[in-house]
Amino acid sequence: MDGEVENSVASVVAQVSIGGIEYSPLADGDYDAVVLGTGLTECMISGLLSVAGLKVLHADRGEYYGSACASLNLAQLFERFGGVSSSDPPAEDIYGRSRDYNVDLVPKFILSSGKMVSMLLYCDVTKYLDFKLVDGSFVYSGSRPHKVPVTPTEAMTSGLMGIMEKNRCRQFFSWVQYYALDDPSTWQKRDIRTVTMAEIYKYFGLHKDTIEFIGHALALYRDDSYIGKPALETVLRIKQYADSLARYGRSPYLYPMYGLGELPQAFARLSAVYGGTFMLHTPVDEVLYDENGQACGIRSGKDAAKCKFVVGDPSYFPDKVEPSGKVIRCYCILEAPPPNTRDSSSCQIIIPARQVGPNRKHDIYILVVSEPHKVCPPGKYIALVSTTVETDNPANEIKPGLNLLGPIVNSFLSVDEMFVPKSSGKEDKTFITQTYDATTHFESCVEDVLDVYKRIFGIDLDLTTPRPKPGQSSTES
């Protein structure tokens, strides 16, 4: 009898009450934050929340880390996009072994002096990962890709420009290189905090083709709206690209060995070190809200967990996001590097929109990786061609990129809707991330993480401060 009473009491104590309804506890049942989805963005945020001293529950309906940015072996790639059953695997005599492939669904390079590296170092997750330099960075102009110049010396040897334009570009790069906000003598009477990039370009007399590769291949803008804004951010972006190139010499970009699938898991390990709880293969049936319309928990079947706010990818909040366009990605298997890329085993090629046609608005991105990064067998190359969809015929929009690859052994096409949150989340305590865009670099992804962090805490994340130790909140560091 006493045992029955004790079990009954324990059962009552274990219940989680949300909105007057009793649930069995999901994991511990009570958290500061719940994060939904194990995409890279969500795992980065989960790690940062744990580092900040919050008790975090991280759940995903999927069976493996990565969500929309997972890495697949070749059989999984064929099954997902080619409709080929796992019982009928791809021919090894053509492709090699399936397990030798790590094909990233959303591959992106890491700028070696960019925000992503700052995030990796701040969170100290580099100890879980190995990186290798990407061989080259190219921009398409005229009829072929060209190495992206960023220094005065490179400007004078680049095939992108004629001799007179080379000299003007050299002067521009030299001005950017030596510009210092705290030293007006370097300004040439141009304060980049107030002067627009349009005025800077006009001052140096740069041609529209030069402006195009500076804005899209160096500053990594996705459109030309930056031209009418103060030049400060653009100058800093160009400096960042130049610093990234100078760090290792051949290229400004890095890529993880075995692909990006290791990155979400690295940040998940960080969260776990700081006390985070992870639950894969966990259906999330409902985000629960209190009488004020603020998120206060999640429900999975008869189980639930309370929290103070919820973070998640758009797939968990269909009524709180709106479409922002579509992205097309074509995953290609090659047997040689793309022509005119200096036999690079890995590279990025950016095709600025205007090189495709006067009415094109979005750039086309090409990313190539191969065996040195341990993503495919020797003699094979993985190429991604992606862009933001503008017409009713997305496959036709990426042809300019496919035409640069050379012979293609096989290819797989995917068109995905992109979503953005309708609101900041401050009112209803639901902080939603954005869908991954078409770019082949991580800068926009990190900007999304930093934006969500600021929406949650009301302050910018300072990546230069020491990271708190486990058991210590960020306010105590």
Side-chain angles (χ1 to χ4, degrees):
M1 178 67 72
D2 290 343
E4 292 178 4
V5 172
E6 288 176 2
N7 290 335
S8 176
V9 171
S11 175
V12 171
V13 171
Q15 294 297 298
V16 174
S17 178
I18 304 177
I21 301 175
E22 300 291 326
Y23 302 93
S24 298
L26 182 64
D28 287 351
D30 196 351
Y31 293 86
D32 294 315
V34 170
V35 179
L36 303 178
T38 54
L40 177 58
T41 305
E42 291 74 40
C43 285
M44 291 170 70
I45 293 170
S46 176
L48 291 171
L49 294 177
S50 297
V51 167
L54 302 188
K55 185 180 179 183
V56 177
L57 171 64
H58 199 151
D60 193 317
R61 62 172 76 92
E63 297 181 1
Y64 48 79
Y65 288 98
S67 296
C69 60
S71 294
L72 308 181
N73 63 35
L74 190 63
Q76 291 170 328
L77 186 71
F78 269 77
E79 187 173 359
R80 179 166 181 143
F81 296 115
V84 178
S85 169
S86 57
S87 61
D88 185 21
E92 282 196 15
D93 60 328
I94 298 175
Y95 300 101
R97 296 181 304 184
S98 172
R99 67 174 180 269
D100 290 337
Y101 285 83
N102 291 290
V103 182
D104 295 317
L105 294 180
V106 188
K108 292 178 182 286
F109 287 148
I110 299 172
L111 205 57
S112 62
S113 289
K115 295 175 182 176
M116 185 64 176
V117 168
S118 297
M119 185 78 73
L120 291 169
L121 293 173
Y122 174 80
C123 295
D124 194 28
V125 298
T126 52
K127 60 188 176 186
Y128 304 123
L129 302 160
D130 291 314
F131 295 89
K132 183 176 174 58
L133 189 67
V134 173
D135 281 351
S137 178
F138 300 86
V139 61
Y140 180 87
S141 181
S143 61
R144 66 180 182 88
H146 300 261
K147 183 182 184 300
V148 178
V150 69
T151 66
T153 301
E154 289 181 334
M156 295 305 294
T157 58
S158 174
L160 279 167
M161 302 164 283
I163 186 63
M164 298 301 292
E165 184 68 4
K166 286 180 180 180
N167 189 52
R168 289 189 287 266
C169 188
R170 177 190 63 80
Q171 292 174 342
F172 171 76
F173 283 154
S174 181
W175 175 76
V176 169
Q177 181 177 337
Y178 293 105
Y179 196 103
L181 277 175
D182 58 356
D183 185 1
S185 67
T186 66
W187 295 4
Q188 294 189 25
K189 298 181 180 180
R190 274 151 184 82
D191 185 346
I192 57 176
R193 293 169 294 190
T194 55
V195 174
T196 67
M197 273 310 297
E199 295 173 85
I200 297 296
Y201 287 145
K202 183 178 180 181
Y203 173 72
F204 285 97
L206 296 179
H207 188 269
K208 58 184 178 181
D209 288 339
T210 307
I211 293 172
E212 186 174 64
F213 85 72
I214 289 174
H216 293 251
L218 290 178
L220 301 177
Y221 285 111
R222 287 172 281 173
D223 57 45
D224 290 332
S225 60
Y226 78 95
I227 292 177
K229 299 176 182 178
L232 174 60
E233 182 181 354
T234 303
V235 170
L236 293 177
R237 284 180 174 224
I238 297 171
K239 281 179 173 285
Q240 178 177 265
Y241 187 100
D243 291 343
S244 297
L245 179 64
R247 176 169 286 189
Y248 297 110
R250 290 200 320 272
S251 164
Y253 292 110
L254 302 170
Y255 199 68
M257 300 292 285
Y258 304 98
L260 294 177
E262 298 298 313
L263 270 176
Q265 294 187 60
F267 281 98
R269 291 189 192 104
L270 171 72
S271 179
V273 167
Y274 281 79
T277 300
F278 280 77
M279 299 183 69
L280 295 177
H281 204 205
T282 301
V284 178
D285 299 310
E286 186 181 5
V287 175
L288 303 172
Y289 296 88
D290 63 19
E291 63 275 10
N292 298 317
Q294 295 184 334
C296 61
I298 64 166
R299 179 179 66 82
S300 177
K302 296 180 180 180
D303 301 336
K306 292 194 294 185
C307 63
K308 298 173 183 175
F309 62 89
V310 177
V311 179
D313 71 51
S315 68
Y316 290 92
F317 304 93
D319 60 331
K320 292 182 178 291
V321 296
E322 57 190 5
S324 60
K326 294 181 179 180
V327 58
I328 180 170
R329 297 183 177 93
C330 187
Y331 308 89
C332 304
I333 300 174
L334 316 176
E335 291 184 329
N340 300 304
T341 59
R342 306 183 182 186
D343 292 326
S344 298
S345 64
S346 55
C347 67
Q348 175 183 256
I349 306 171
I350 295 178
I351 307 177
R354 201 174 60 82
Q355 293 293 325
V356 179
N359 297 322
R360 181 81 194 166
K361 298 178 181 179
H362 297 91
D363 298 345
I364 299 173
Y365 299 89
I366 302 170
L367 179 147
V368 180
V369 286
S370 60
E371 190 274 335
H373 281 95
K374 304 301 180 186
V375 295
C376 61
K380 295 293 188 287
Y381 295 76
I382 304 297
L384 170 81
V385 181
S386 60
T387 192
T388 302
V389 174
E390 296 182 9
T391 70
D392 294 331
N393 188 0
N396 193 56
E397 296 183 48
I398 59 171
K399 282 185 177 179
L402 296 175
N403 291 339
L404 298 181
L405 298 182
I408 298 172
V409 177
N410 206 340
S411 62
F412 307 87
L413 205 62
S414 171
V415 179
D416 300 300
E417 194 107 38
M418 294 187 294
F419 295 94
V420 295
K422 293 180 180 178
S423 67
S424 68
K426 296 178 182 178
E427 296 294 327
D428 58 10
K429 299 301 180 183
T430 54
F431 300 96
I432 307 171
T433 60
Q434 298 184 18
T435 310
Y436 300 101
D437 61 26
T439 60
T440 48
H441 53 79
F442 264 115
E443 296 308 287
S444 57
C445 176
V446 179
E447 287 171 3
D448 188 27
V449 172
L450 296 175
D451 176 63
V452 172
Y453 185 94
K454 186 172 183 178
R455 281 188 271 148
I456 292 172
F457 293 107
I459 58 173
D460 291 317
L461 174 63
D462 186 357
L463 296 174
T464 64
T465 58
R467 190 183 77 259
K469 297 177 181 179
Q472 176 187 34
S473 73
S474 58
T475 58
E476 299 171 333
S477 59

